[in-house]
Amino acid sequence: MHKLMVIFHTPTDVPAFENRWSEEFVPQAERMPGLRRVVLSRVMGAPATGVDVHLVHEFIFDDADAVQAAMVSPEGQAAGRALMGFAAPYVTLCFAEHMEEARPLPGPGASA
């Protein structure tokens, strides 16, 4: 699987950003063709120092070609315009190969 990662750095006006993100960007982005899963992470901090990341919004597709096709689709283009209309100074986009593997919890009496 492959994904488009949209990394939002901390905006100056968080409430205004959140409103525009949820009302302008999300509805457009979640209509992109080929989209399999959406993952959203609200960053709460970092182990040693502060981190300038507010949200990580991930859009997961079957493969790299599907990501590219989604981005050039009318829905992807509309999402991009919406995104740049309010978040250009705060956003970084990147592509990533995505692998996910579930891990079972240790049973009773197992050592960690």
Side-chain angles (χ1 to χ4, degrees):
M1 302 201 88
H2 283 74
K3 63 184 170 182
L4 167 63
M5 296 176 62
V6 183
I7 303 164
F8 293 101
H9 304 281
T10 308
T12 53
D13 184 345
V14 172
F17 166 85
E18 291 272 343
N19 184 59
R20 293 189 71 185
W21 165 76
S22 66
E23 292 186 11
E24 297 175 27
F25 173 67
V26 172
Q28 298 290 338
E30 291 187 353
R31 285 198 285 266
M32 289 188 292
L35 182 61
R36 296 291 187 186
R37 283 186 48 217
V38 175
V39 177
L40 176 67
S41 301
R42 290 186 179 279
V43 178
M44 305 304 292
T49 62
V51 62
D52 180 30
V53 178
H54 180 64
L55 293 174
V56 179
H57 201 160
E58 299 173 302
F59 300 90
I60 301 173
F61 298 84
D62 287 338
D63 53 38
D65 290 340
V67 175
Q68 292 297 326
M71 290 188 68
V72 300
S73 71
E75 297 87 352
Q77 293 294 305
R81 284 190 299 277
L83 180 66
M84 290 301 121
F86 73 94
Y90 309 110
V91 70
T92 300
L93 283 80
C94 53
F95 304 110
E97 185 174 12
H98 178 80
M99 187 195 94
E100 197 171 310
E101 192 173 287
R103 301 292 172 134
L105 293 173
S111 60

